[in-house]
């Protein structure tokens, strides 16, 4: 995926399978079937204090699927040109994030858990944490 070409319109909210019975629900995520990348890492955000913001960066190569495993939160997406706010509040929906998208996670409900599946191991050099640098990279069409 070419970093400067990706847009917020490449980031759909995907409906995930739900197996329902009277004792509750199960959602199973299988790399080759429901997820558009091979899963290399899983992490989750929890105990986020009210009013806190997470994220505030973009990635050069990382793909992610964000799921509100519990509670709810909003994600502000920004591709340097367009912005939109996505709300996640059900464990059977996931937001697919391609590289080159600035994201900020806000409005965490009490007890919210943000489960994240990723395509790569943690790598600080994959982060773009400066917004002006992000805007510059998105505008630079010579970028790979
Ligand atoms: C994203 C949002 C949704 C690790 O050591 N390993 C990891 O896998 C992760 C994700 C983080 N860390 C360390 C790095 C920092 O010292 O945990 C600390 C906090 O990380 P960060 O500031 O990146 O956390 P968030 O919540 O702002 O962002 C994370 C992901 O990094 C990011 O990819 O999209 O969650």
């Amino acid at each position: 995926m070419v970093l400067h070409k990706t847009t917020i319109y490449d980031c759909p909210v995907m409906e995930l399978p739900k197996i329902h019975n009277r004792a509750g629900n199960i959602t199973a995520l299988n790399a080759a079937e429901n997820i558009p990348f091979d899963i290399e890492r899983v992490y989750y955000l929890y105990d986020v204090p009210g009013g806190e913001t997470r994220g505030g960066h973009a990635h050069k190569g990382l793909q992610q699927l964000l799921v509100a495993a519990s509670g709810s939160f909003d994600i502000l997406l920004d591709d340097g040109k367009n912005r939109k706010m996505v709300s996640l509040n059900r464990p059977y929906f996931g937001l697919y994030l391609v590289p080159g998208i600035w994201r900020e996670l806000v409005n965490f409900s009490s007890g919210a858990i943000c489960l994240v599946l990723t395509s790569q191991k943690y790598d600080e050099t994959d982060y773009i944490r400066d917004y002006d640098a992000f805007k510059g990279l998105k505008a630079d069409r010579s970028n790979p």
Side-chain angles (χ1 to χ4, degrees):
M1 245 163 280
V2 184
L3 170 64
H4 73 257
K5 283 191 178 163
T6 54
T7 76
I8 57 171
Y9 305 110
D10 300 318
C11 300
V13 174
M14 299 166 48
E15 184 159 6
L16 306 170
K18 181 168 74 168
I19 303 163
H20 168 76
N21 71 30
R22 63 182 175 76
N25 301 323
I26 296 178
T27 290
L29 304 176
N30 295 285
E33 290 171 32
N34 328 99
I35 311 296
F37 51 83
D38 288 335
I39 301 163
E40 191 66 37
R41 174 171 52 116
V42 176
Y43 66 87
Y44 37 99
L45 310 175
Y46 56 97
D47 289 349
V48 179
E52 267 307 333
T53 299
R54 306 283 316 205
H57 55 250
H59 285 278
K60 297 174 190 167
L62 190 72
Q63 300 173 64
Q64 305 199 94
L65 185 83
L66 275 58
V67 177
S70 183
S72 62
F73 50 87
D74 299 328
I75 307 108
L76 174 69
L77 300 179
D78 180 339
D79 60 21
K81 218 177 201 180
N82 313 291
R83 291 177 149 217
K84 74 171 172 182
M85 190 74 102
V86 174
S87 297
L88 289 180
N89 55 17
R90 293 281 184 275
Y92 52 90
F93 284 102
L95 172 65
Y96 174 48
L97 287 180
V98 294
I101 304 294
W102 190 269
R103 84 289 312 268
E104 291 176 17
L105 281 68
V106 296
N107 300 329
F108 283 87
S109 68
S110 171
I113 298 175
C114 172
L115 174 70
V116 187
L117 313 182
T118 81
S119 64
Q120 297 174 12
K121 293 204 162 49
Y122 174 73
D123 175 7
E124 187 56 39
T125 66
D126 188 69
Y127 284 72
I128 307 163
R129 292 192 183 272
D130 180 87
Y131 186 71
D132 290 337
F134 167 73
K135 291 272 281 187
L137 281 168
K138 292 298 277 187
D140 183 355
R141 308 204 64 80
S142 67
N143 261 310

